Amino acid sequence: MNADGPVVNVHVLFFAKSRELANTPRSTVDVPTEITATELLDHLVSKFGLTSIRDNLILAHNESYIDNLSDRILFKEGDELAVIPPLSGG
């Protein structure tokens, strides 16, 4: 992750299997104010040990799903990220 520019602290919420793997329901992480969704995903996977579910994760920024991993995301201090694995059940 390239953090040459400004960096902000954001809140990260983990759900289901991501919560289990990260060993916490929530955390904070420093991220650049502008980053691609792929770079962000790779950073979170590495930092929180989510490699086994990386290809199945959904990210949400301030309660809006990130649909395209090539999208550039603009962060402000205190923004919220959700890490959501696919849910199963019946």
Side-chain angles (χ1 to χ4, degrees):
M1 179 178 69
N2 183 359
D4 291 341
V7 173
V8 294
N9 188 265
V10 298
H11 303 279
V12 184
L13 306 175
F14 297 97
F15 295 92
K17 185 69 172 176
S18 69
R19 177 182 294 194
E20 179 184 321
L21 291 171
N23 291 314
T24 185
R26 64 184 320 125
S27 188
T28 59
V29 66
D30 291 331
V31 296
T33 55
E34 185 173 342
I35 187 173
T36 67
T38 297
E39 291 170 326
L40 175 63
L41 178 61
D42 289 343
H43 178 65
L44 294 172
V45 165
S46 173
K47 182 171 178 67
F48 295 103
L50 306 175
T51 304
S52 64
I53 59 173
R54 187 230 185 264
D55 294 335
N56 299 309
L57 290 174
I58 298 167
L59 297 178
H61 174 222
N62 292 335
E63 299 184 6
S64 294
Y65 289 114
I66 299 169
D67 295 322
N68 186 338
L69 289 178
S70 64
D71 285 351
R72 295 199 73 72
I73 302 163
L74 302 176
F75 283 105
K76 296 184 303 284
E77 188 74 26
D79 276 4
E80 184 178 85
L81 274 173
V83 180
I84 309 162
L87 302 174
S88 62

Coordinates of all heavy atoms in Angstrom, one line a residue:
M1 N 0.9 -1.2 0.0 CA 0.0 0.0 0.0 C 0.9 1.2 0.0 O 1.8 1.4 0.8 CB -0.9 0.0 1.2 CG -1.8 1.2 1.3 SD -2.9 1.1 2.7 CE -1.8 1.3 4.1
N2 N 0.6 2.1 -0.9 CA 1.4 3.3 -1.0 C 0.8 4.4 -0.2 O -0.3 4.8 -0.4 CB 1.4 3.8 -2.5 CG 2.3 5.0 -2.7 OD1 2.9 5.5 -1.8 ND2 2.4 5.4 -4.0
A3 N 1.5 4.9 0.8 CA 1.0 5.9 1.8 C 1.9 7.1 1.7 O 2.2 7.7 2.7 CB 1.0 5.3 3.2
D4 N 2.3 7.5 0.5 CA 3.2 8.7 0.4 C 2.4 10.0 0.7 O 3.0 11.0 1.1 CB 3.8 8.8 -1.0 CG 4.8 7.7 -1.3 OD1 5.3 7.1 -0.3 OD2 5.0 7.4 -2.5
G5 N 1.1 10.0 0.4 CA 0.3 11.2 0.6 C -0.3 11.2 2.0 O 0.1 10.5 2.9
P6 N -1.4 12.0 2.2 CA -2.0 12.1 3.5 C -2.7 10.8 3.9 O -3.1 10.0 3.0 CB -3.1 13.1 3.2 CG -2.8 13.8 1.9 CD -1.9 12.9 1.2
V7 N -2.7 10.5 5.2 CA -3.2 9.3 5.7 C -4.3 9.6 6.8 O -4.1 10.6 7.5 CB -2.1 8.4 6.4 CG1 -2.6 7.2 7.1 CG2 -1.1 8.0 5.3
V8 N -5.3 8.8 6.8 CA -6.4 9.0 7.8 C -6.6 7.7 8.6 O -6.3 6.7 8.1 CB -7.7 9.6 7.2 CG1 -7.5 11.0 6.6 CG2 -8.2 8.6 6.1
N9 N -7.2 7.8 9.7 CA -7.6 6.7 10.5 C -9.1 6.4 10.3 O -9.9 7.3 10.5 CB -7.3 7.0 12.0 CG -7.5 5.7 12.8 OD1 -8.5 5.5 13.4 ND2 -6.4 4.9 12.9
V10 N -9.4 5.1 9.9 CA -10.8 4.7 9.7 C -11.1 3.5 10.6 O -10.2 2.8 11.0 CB -11.0 4.4 8.2 CG1 -10.8 5.6 7.3 CG2 -10.2 3.2 7.8
H11 N -12.4 3.4 10.9 CA -12.9 2.3 11.7 C -13.2 1.1 10.8 O -13.8 1.3 9.7 CB -14.2 2.7 12.4 CG -14.0 3.9 13.3 ND1 -13.4 3.9 14.6 CD2 -14.2 5.2 13.1 CE1 -13.4 5.1 15.1 NE2 -13.8 5.9 14.2
V12 N -12.9 -0.1 11.2 CA -13.1 -1.3 10.5 C -14.0 -2.2 11.3 O -13.7 -2.5 12.5 CB -11.8 -2.0 10.1 CG1 -12.1 -3.2 9.2 CG2 -10.8 -1.1 9.4
L13 N -15.1 -2.6 10.7 CA -16.0 -3.6 11.4 C -15.9 -4.9 10.6 O -16.0 -5.0 9.4 CB -17.5 -3.1 11.3 CG -17.7 -1.7 11.8 CD1 -19.2 -1.3 11.5 CD2 -17.4 -1.6 13.3
F14 N -15.8 -6.0 11.4 CA -15.7 -7.3 10.9 C -17.0 -8.1 11.2 O -17.5 -8.0 12.3 CB -14.5 -8.1 11.5 CG -13.2 -7.4 11.2 CD1 -12.6 -6.5 12.1 CD2 -12.6 -7.6 10.0 CE1 -11.4 -5.9 11.8 CE2 -11.3 -7.0 9.7 CZ -10.8 -6.2 10.6
F15 N -17.4 -8.9 10.2 CA -18.6 -9.7 10.3 C -18.3 -11.2 10.0 O -17.5 -11.5 9.2 CB -19.7 -9.2 9.4 CG -20.2 -7.8 9.8 CD1 -19.6 -6.7 9.2 CD2 -21.1 -7.6 10.8 CE1 -20.0 -5.4 9.6 CE2 -21.5 -6.3 11.1 CZ -20.9 -5.2 10.5
A16 N -19.1 -12.0 10.7 CA -19.1 -13.5 10.5 C -17.6 -14.0 10.4 O -16.9 -13.8 11.4 CB -19.8 -13.8 9.2
K17 N -17.2 -14.7 9.4 CA -15.9 -15.4 9.3 C -14.8 -14.4 9.4 O -13.7 -14.7 10.0 CB -15.8 -16.2 8.0 CG -14.5 -17.0 7.9 CD -14.5 -18.2 8.9 CE -13.3 -19.1 8.6 NZ -13.2 -20.2 9.6
S18 N -14.9 -13.2 8.9 CA -13.9 -12.2 9.0 C -13.6 -11.8 10.4 O -12.5 -11.6 10.8 CB -14.2 -11.0 8.1 OG -15.2 -10.2 8.6
R19 N -14.7 -11.7 11.2 CA -14.5 -11.4 12.6 C -13.8 -12.5 13.3 O -12.9 -12.3 14.2 CB -15.9 -11.3 13.3 CG -15.9 -11.0 14.8 CD -17.3 -11.0 15.3 NE -18.0 -9.8 14.8 CZ -19.1 -9.3 15.3 NH1 -19.6 -9.8 16.4 NH2 -19.6 -8.2 14.8
E20 N -14.1 -13.8 13.0 CA -13.4 -14.9 13.6 C -11.9 -14.9 13.2 O -11.0 -15.0 14.1 CB -14.0 -16.2 13.1 CG -13.4 -17.5 13.6 CD -14.0 -18.7 13.0 OE1 -15.3 -18.7 12.8 OE2 -13.3 -19.6 12.6
L21 N -11.6 -14.6 12.0 CA -10.2 -14.7 11.5 C -9.4 -13.5 12.1 O -8.2 -13.6 12.4 CB -10.1 -14.7 10.0 CG -10.5 -16.0 9.4 CD1 -10.6 -15.8 7.9 CD2 -9.6 -17.1 9.7
A22 N -10.0 -12.3 12.2 CA -9.3 -11.1 12.7 C -9.3 -11.1 14.2 O -8.5 -10.3 14.8 CB -10.1 -9.9 12.2
N23 N -10.0 -12.0 14.8 CA -10.0 -12.1 16.3 C -10.5 -10.8 17.0 O -10.1 -10.5 18.1 CB -8.6 -12.4 16.9 CG -8.2 -13.8 16.5 OD1 -9.0 -14.8 16.7 ND2 -7.0 -14.0 16.1
T24 N -11.4 -10.1 16.3 CA -12.0 -8.9 16.8 C -13.2 -8.5 16.0 O -13.2 -8.7 14.8 CB -10.9 -7.7 16.9 OG1 -11.5 -6.6 17.5 CG2 -10.5 -7.3 15.5
P25 N -14.2 -7.8 16.7 CA -15.3 -7.4 15.9 C -15.1 -6.0 15.2 O -15.8 -5.6 14.3 CB -16.4 -7.2 17.0 CG -15.7 -7.0 18.2 CD -14.4 -7.8 18.1
R26 N -14.1 -5.3 15.7 CA -13.8 -4.0 15.2 C -12.3 -3.6 15.5 O -11.7 -4.0 16.4 CB -14.7 -2.9 15.7 CG -14.6 -2.7 17.2 CD -15.7 -1.7 17.8 NE -15.9 -0.5 16.9 CZ -17.1 -0.2 16.4 NH1 -18.2 -0.8 16.8 NH2 -17.2 0.8 15.6
S27 N -11.8 -2.7 14.6 CA -10.5 -2.2 14.8 C -10.4 -0.8 14.1 O -11.4 -0.3 13.6 CB -9.5 -3.2 14.2 OG -8.1 -2.8 14.5
T28 N -9.2 -0.2 14.1 CA -9.0 1.0 13.3 C -7.7 0.7 12.4 O -6.9 -0.2 12.8 CB -8.7 2.2 14.2 OG1 -7.6 1.9 15.0 CG2 -9.9 2.6 15.0
V29 N -7.6 1.4 11.3 CA -6.5 1.2 10.4 C -6.2 2.6 9.8 O -7.1 3.4 9.5 CB -6.8 0.1 9.4 CG1 -7.9 0.5 8.5 CG2 -5.6 -0.3 8.6
D30 N -4.9 2.8 9.5 CA -4.5 4.0 8.8 C -4.5 3.7 7.3 O -3.9 2.7 6.9 CB -3.1 4.5 9.3 CG -3.2 5.1 10.7 OD1 -4.2 5.6 11.1 OD2 -2.1 5.0 11.4
V31 N -5.1 4.5 6.5 CA -5.1 4.3 5.1 C -4.9 5.7 4.4 O -5.2 6.7 5.0 CB -6.5 3.7 4.6 CG1 -6.7 2.3 5.1 CG2 -7.7 4.6 4.9
P32 N -4.4 5.6 3.2 CA -4.3 6.9 2.4 C -5.7 7.5 2.2 O -6.7 6.8 2.1 CB -3.7 6.5 1.1 CG -3.1 5.1 1.3 CD -3.9 4.5 2.4
T33 N -5.7 8.8 2.0 CA -7.0 9.5 1.7 C -7.6 9.0 0.4 O -8.8 9.1 0.2 CB -6.8 11.0 1.7 OG1 -5.8 11.4 0.8 CG2 -6.5 11.5 3.1
E34 N -6.8 8.5 -0.5 CA -7.2 8.0 -1.8 C -6.5 6.7 -2.1 O -5.3 6.6 -2.0 CB -7.0 9.0 -2.9 CG -7.6 8.5 -4.2 CD -7.5 9.5 -5.3 OE1 -7.3 10.7 -5.0 OE2 -7.7 9.1 -6.5
I35 N -7.3 5.6 -2.4 CA -6.7 4.3 -2.6 C -7.7 3.5 -3.4 O -8.9 3.7 -3.4 CB -6.5 3.6 -1.2 CG1 -5.8 2.3 -1.3 CG2 -7.8 3.4 -0.4 CD1 -5.4 1.6 0.0
T36 N -7.2 2.5 -4.2 CA -8.1 1.7 -5.0 C -8.7 0.6 -4.0 O -8.1 0.3 -3.0 CB -7.4 1.0 -6.2 OG1 -6.5 0.0 -5.7 CG2 -6.7 2.0 -7.1
A37 N -9.8 0.1 -4.4 CA -10.5 -0.9 -3.6 C -9.6 -2.1 -3.5 O -9.5 -2.8 -2.4 CB -11.8 -1.2 -4.1
T38 N -8.9 -2.5 -4.6 CA -8.0 -3.6 -4.6 C -6.8 -3.4 -3.6 O -6.5 -4.3 -2.8 CB -7.4 -3.9 -6.0 OG1 -8.5 -4.2 -6.8 CG2 -6.4 -5.1 -5.9
E39 N -6.2 -2.3 -3.6 CA -5.1 -2.0 -2.6 C -5.6 -2.0 -1.2 O -5.0 -2.6 -0.3 CB -4.5 -0.6 -2.9 CG -3.8 -0.5 -4.2 CD -3.4 0.9 -4.6 OE1 -4.2 1.9 -4.2 OE2 -2.3 1.1 -5.1
L40 N -6.8 -1.5 -1.0 CA -7.4 -1.5 0.3 C -7.7 -2.9 0.8 O -7.4 -3.3 1.9 CB -8.7 -0.7 0.3 CG -9.5 -0.7 1.6 CD1 -8.7 -0.1 2.8 CD2 -10.9 0.0 1.4
L41 N -8.3 -3.7 -0.1 CA -8.6 -5.1 0.2 C -7.3 -5.9 0.6 O -7.2 -6.6 1.6 CB -9.3 -5.8 -0.9 CG -9.6 -7.3 -0.7 CD1 -10.6 -7.5 0.4 CD2 -10.3 -7.8 -2.0
D42 N -6.3 -5.7 -0.2 CA -5.0 -6.4 0.0 C -4.4 -6.0 1.4 O -3.9 -6.8 2.1 CB -4.0 -6.1 -1.1 CG -4.4 -6.8 -2.4 OD1 -5.2 -7.8 -2.4 OD2 -3.8 -6.4 -3.5
H43 N -4.5 -4.7 1.7 CA -4.0 -4.2 3.0 C -4.8 -4.8 4.2 O -4.2 -5.3 5.1 CB -4.1 -2.7 3.0 CG -3.6 -2.1 4.3 ND1 -2.3 -2.2 4.8 CD2 -4.3 -1.4 5.3 CE1 -2.2 -1.6 5.9 NE2 -3.4 -1.1 6.3
L44 N -6.1 -4.9 4.1 CA -6.9 -5.5 5.1 C -6.6 -7.0 5.3 O -6.5 -7.5 6.4 CB -8.4 -5.2 4.9 CG -8.8 -3.7 4.9 CD1 -10.2 -3.6 4.5 CD2 -8.6 -3.2 6.3
V45 N -6.5 -7.7 4.2 CA -6.3 -9.1 4.2 C -5.0 -9.4 4.9 O -4.9 -10.3 5.7 CB -6.3 -9.7 2.7 CG1 -5.7 -11.0 2.7 CG2 -7.8 -9.7 2.2
S46 N -3.9 -8.6 4.5 CA -2.6 -8.8 5.1 C -2.6 -8.5 6.6 O -2.1 -9.2 7.4 CB -1.6 -8.0 4.3 OG -0.3 -8.0 4.9
K47 N -3.1 -7.3 6.9 CA -3.1 -6.8 8.3 C -3.9 -7.7 9.3 O -3.5 -7.9 10.4 CB -3.6 -5.4 8.4 CG -3.5 -4.8 9.8 CD -3.8 -3.3 9.7 CE -3.8 -2.7 11.1 NZ -2.5 -2.7 11.8
F48 N -5.0 -8.3 8.8 CA -5.9 -9.0 9.7 C -6.0 -10.5 9.5 O -6.9 -11.1 10.0 CB -7.3 -8.3 9.7 CG -7.3 -6.9 10.2 CD1 -7.4 -5.8 9.3 CD2 -7.2 -6.7 11.6 CE1 -7.4 -4.5 9.8 CE2 -7.2 -5.4 12.0 CZ -7.3 -4.3 11.2
G49 N -5.1 -11.0 8.6 CA -5.1 -12.5 8.4 C -6.3 -13.1 7.7 O -6.8 -14.1 8.1
L50 N -6.8 -12.4 6.7 CA -8.0 -12.8 6.0 C -7.7 -13.5 4.7 O -8.6 -13.7 3.8 CB -8.9 -11.6 5.8 CG -9.2 -10.7 7.0 CD1 -10.0 -9.5 6.6 CD2 -10.0 -11.6 8.0
T51 N -6.5 -14.0 4.5 CA -6.1 -14.6 3.2 C -7.1 -15.7 2.8 O -7.4 -15.8 1.6 CB -4.7 -15.2 3.3 OG1 -3.8 -14.1 3.7 CG2 -4.2 -15.8 2.0
S52 N -7.5 -16.6 3.7 CA -8.3 -17.7 3.3 C -9.7 -17.3 2.8 O -10.3 -18.1 2.1 CB -8.5 -18.7 4.5 OG -9.2 -18.0 5.5
I53 N -10.2 -16.1 3.0 CA -11.5 -15.7 2.5 C -11.3 -14.5 1.6 O -12.4 -13.9 1.2 CB -12.5 -15.4 3.6 CG1 -11.9 -14.3 4.6 CG2 -12.8 -16.7 4.4 CD1 -13.0 -13.9 5.6
R54 N -10.1 -14.1 1.2 CA -9.9 -12.9 0.4 C -10.8 -12.8 -0.8 O -11.4 -11.7 -1.1 CB -8.4 -12.8 0.0 CG -8.1 -11.4 -0.6 CD -7.3 -11.6 -2.0 NE -6.9 -10.4 -2.5 CZ -7.6 -9.7 -3.4 NH1 -8.7 -10.2 -3.9 NH2 -7.2 -8.5 -3.9
D55 N -10.9 -13.8 -1.6 CA -11.6 -13.8 -2.8 C -13.1 -13.7 -2.7 O -13.8 -13.6 -3.7 CB -11.2 -15.0 -3.7 CG -9.8 -14.9 -4.2 OD1 -9.2 -13.8 -4.2 OD2 -9.2 -15.9 -4.5
N56 N -13.6 -13.9 -1.5 CA -15.0 -13.9 -1.2 C -15.5 -12.7 -0.4 O -16.7 -12.7 0.0 CB -15.4 -15.2 -0.5 CG -15.1 -16.4 -1.3 OD1 -15.4 -16.5 -2.5 ND2 -14.4 -17.3 -0.8
L57 N -14.7 -11.8 -0.1 CA -15.0 -10.6 0.8 C -15.8 -9.6 0.0 O -15.5 -9.3 -1.1 CB -13.8 -10.0 1.4 CG -13.1 -10.9 2.5 CD1 -11.8 -10.3 3.0 CD2 -14.1 -11.1 3.7
I58 N -16.7 -8.9 0.7 CA -17.3 -7.7 0.3 C -16.9 -6.6 1.2 O -16.9 -6.8 2.4 CB -18.9 -7.9 0.3 CG1 -19.3 -9.0 -0.6 CG2 -19.6 -6.6 -0.1 CD1 -20.7 -9.5 -0.4
L59 N -16.6 -5.4 0.6 CA -16.3 -4.3 1.4 C -17.4 -3.2 1.3 O -18.0 -3.1 0.2 CB -14.9 -3.6 0.9 CG -13.7 -4.5 1.1 CD1 -12.5 -3.7 0.5 CD2 -13.4 -4.9 2.5
A60 N -17.6 -2.5 2.4 CA -18.6 -1.4 2.3 C -17.9 -0.2 3.0 O -17.2 -0.3 4.0 CB -19.8 -1.8 3.1
H61 N -18.0 0.9 2.4 CA -17.5 2.2 2.9 C -18.6 3.1 3.3 O -19.4 3.5 2.4 CB -16.6 2.8 1.7 CG -16.1 4.2 2.1 ND1 -16.1 5.2 1.2 CD2 -15.5 4.7 3.2 CE1 -15.6 6.3 1.7 NE2 -15.2 6.0 3.0
N62 N -18.7 3.4 4.5 CA -19.8 4.3 5.1 C -21.1 3.7 4.6 O -22.0 4.5 4.1 CB -19.6 5.7 4.7 CG -18.4 6.3 5.3 OD1 -18.0 5.9 6.4 ND2 -17.8 7.4 4.7
E63 N -21.3 2.4 4.8 CA -22.6 1.7 4.5 C -23.0 1.6 3.1 O -24.1 1.3 2.7 CB -23.7 2.3 5.4 CG -23.5 2.2 6.9 CD -24.6 2.7 7.7 OE1 -25.7 3.0 7.1 OE2 -24.5 2.7 8.9
S64 N -22.0 1.9 2.2 CA -22.2 1.7 0.7 C -21.3 0.6 0.2 O -20.1 0.7 0.4 CB -22.0 3.0 0.0 OG -22.9 4.0 0.3
Y65 N -21.9 -0.4 -0.4 CA -21.0 -1.5 -0.9 C -20.1 -1.0 -2.0 O -20.4 -0.1 -2.8 CB -21.9 -2.6 -1.5 CG -22.6 -3.4 -0.5 CD1 -24.0 -3.4 -0.5 CD2 -21.9 -4.2 0.4 CE1 -24.7 -4.1 0.5 CE2 -22.6 -4.9 1.3 CZ -24.0 -4.9 1.4 OH -24.6 -5.6 2.3
I66 N -18.9 -1.5 -2.0 CA -17.9 -1.2 -3.1 C -18.1 -2.3 -4.1 O -17.7 -3.5 -3.9 CB -16.5 -1.2 -2.5 CG1 -16.4 -0.1 -1.4 CG2 -15.4 -1.0 -3.6 CD1 -15.1 -0.1 -0.6
D67 N -18.6 -1.9 -5.3 CA -19.0 -2.9 -6.3 C -17.8 -3.3 -7.2 O -17.8 -4.4 -7.8 CB -20.1 -2.4 -7.2 CG -21.4 -2.2 -6.4 OD1 -21.7 -3.0 -5.5 OD2 -22.1 -1.2 -6.6
N68 N -16.9 -2.4 -7.4 CA -15.8 -2.6 -8.4 C -14.4 -2.4 -7.7 O -14.2 -1.3 -7.2 CB -16.0 -1.6 -9.5 CG -15.0 -1.9 -10.7 OD1 -14.0 -2.5 -10.5 ND2 -15.4 -1.3 -11.8
L69 N -13.6 -3.4 -7.7 CA -12.3 -3.4 -7.0 C -11.3 -2.4 -7.7 O -10.3 -2.0 -7.1 CB -11.7 -4.7 -6.9 CG -12.4 -5.7 -5.9 CD1 -11.7 -7.0 -5.9 CD2 -12.4 -5.1 -4.5
S70 N -11.7 -1.9 -8.9 CA -10.8 -0.9 -9.5 C -11.2 0.5 -9.1 O -10.5 1.5 -9.5 CB -10.8 -1.1 -11.0 OG -12.1 -0.8 -11.6
D71 N -12.3 0.6 -8.4 CA -12.8 2.0 -8.0 C -11.8 2.6 -7.0 O -11.1 1.9 -6.2 CB -14.1 1.9 -7.2 CG -15.3 1.7 -8.1 OD1 -15.1 1.7 -9.4 OD2 -16.4 1.4 -7.6
R72 N -11.6 3.9 -7.1 CA -10.8 4.7 -6.2 C -11.7 5.1 -5.1 O -12.8 5.6 -5.3 CB -10.2 5.9 -6.9 CG -9.2 5.4 -8.0 CD -8.2 6.4 -8.4 NE -7.2 6.7 -7.4 CZ -6.1 5.9 -7.1 NH1 -6.0 4.8 -7.6 NH2 -5.2 6.3 -6.2
I73 N -11.3 5.0 -3.9 CA -12.0 5.3 -2.7 C -11.4 6.5 -2.0 O -10.2 6.5 -1.8 CB -12.1 4.1 -1.7 CG1 -12.7 2.9 -2.4 CG2 -12.9 4.5 -0.5 CD1 -12.4 1.6 -1.7
L74 N -12.2 7.5 -1.7 CA -11.7 8.7 -1.0 C -12.1 8.6 0.5 O -13.3 8.5 0.8 CB -12.3 9.9 -1.6 CG -12.0 10.1 -3.1 CD1 -12.7 11.3 -3.7 CD2 -10.5 10.2 -3.3
F75 N -11.2 8.6 1.4 CA -11.4 8.5 2.8 C -11.2 9.8 3.5 O -10.4 10.6 3.2 CB -10.5 7.5 3.4 CG -10.8 6.1 3.2 CD1 -10.1 5.3 2.3 CD2 -11.9 5.5 3.8 CE1 -10.4 4.0 2.0 CE2 -12.2 4.2 3.6 CZ -11.5 3.4 2.7
K76 N -12.1 10.0 4.6 CA -11.9 11.1 5.5 C -11.7 10.5 6.9 O -12.1 9.3 7.1 CB -13.2 12.0 5.5 CG -13.4 12.7 4.2 CD -14.6 13.6 4.3 CE -15.9 13.0 4.8 NZ -16.7 12.2 3.9
E77 N -11.1 11.2 7.8 CA -10.8 10.8 9.1 C -12.1 10.3 9.8 O -13.2 11.0 9.7 CB -10.2 11.9 10.0 CG -9.8 11.5 11.3 CD -8.5 10.7 11.3 OE1 -7.7 10.9 10.4 OE2 -8.3 10.0 12.3
G78 N -12.1 9.1 10.4 CA -13.2 8.5 11.1 C -14.2 7.8 10.2 O -15.3 7.3 10.7
D79 N -14.0 7.7 8.9 CA -14.9 6.9 8.0 C -15.0 5.5 8.5 O -14.1 5.0 9.3 CB -14.4 6.9 6.6 CG -14.8 8.1 5.8 OD1 -15.4 9.0 6.3 OD2 -14.5 8.2 4.6
E80 N -16.0 4.7 8.0 CA -16.2 3.4 8.5 C -16.1 2.4 7.3 O -16.6 2.7 6.2 CB -17.6 3.3 9.1 CG -17.9 1.9 9.7 CD -19.2 1.9 10.3 OE1 -20.2 1.7 9.6 OE2 -19.3 2.2 11.5
L81 N -15.4 1.3 7.5 CA -15.3 0.2 6.6 C -15.9 -1.0 7.2 O -15.7 -1.3 8.4 CB -13.9 -0.1 6.3 CG -13.1 0.6 5.3 CD1 -11.6 0.2 5.3 CD2 -13.7 0.4 3.9
A82 N -16.7 -1.8 6.4 CA -17.2 -3.1 6.8 C -16.6 -4.2 6.0 O -16.5 -4.0 4.8 CB -18.7 -3.1 6.8
V83 N -16.1 -5.2 6.6 CA -15.6 -6.4 5.9 C -16.6 -7.5 6.1 O -16.8 -8.0 7.2 CB -14.2 -6.8 6.5 CG1 -13.6 -8.0 5.8 CG2 -13.2 -5.6 6.5
I84 N -17.2 -7.9 5.0 CA -18.3 -8.8 5.0 C -18.1 -10.0 4.1 O -17.9 -9.9 2.9 CB -19.6 -8.1 4.5 CG1 -19.8 -6.8 5.2 CG2 -20.8 -9.0 4.6 CD1 -20.8 -5.8 4.6
P85 N -17.9 -11.2 4.7 CA -17.8 -12.4 3.9 C -19.2 -12.9 3.5 O -20.2 -12.4 4.0 CB -17.2 -13.4 4.9 CG -17.6 -13.0 6.2 CD -17.8 -11.5 6.2
P86 N -19.2 -13.7 2.5 CA -20.5 -14.2 2.1 C -21.2 -15.0 3.2 O -20.5 -15.6 4.0 CB -20.2 -15.2 0.9 CG -18.8 -15.2 0.8 CD -18.1 -14.3 1.8
L87 N -22.5 -14.8 3.4 CA -23.2 -15.4 4.5 C -24.0 -16.6 3.9 O -24.5 -16.5 2.8 CB -24.2 -14.4 5.1 CG -23.6 -13.2 5.6 CD1 -24.6 -12.2 6.1 CD2 -22.6 -13.5 6.8
S88 N -24.0 -17.7 4.6 CA -24.8 -18.8 4.2 C -25.8 -19.2 5.3 O -25.7 -18.7 6.4 CB -23.8 -20.0 3.9 OG -23.2 -20.4 5.1
G89 N -26.7 -19.9 4.9 CA -27.7 -20.3 5.9 C -28.9 -20.8 5.2 O -29.0 -20.9 3.9
G90 N -29.9 -21.1 5.9 CA -31.1 -21.6 5.3 C -32.3 -21.5 6.2 O -32.3 -21.1 7.2

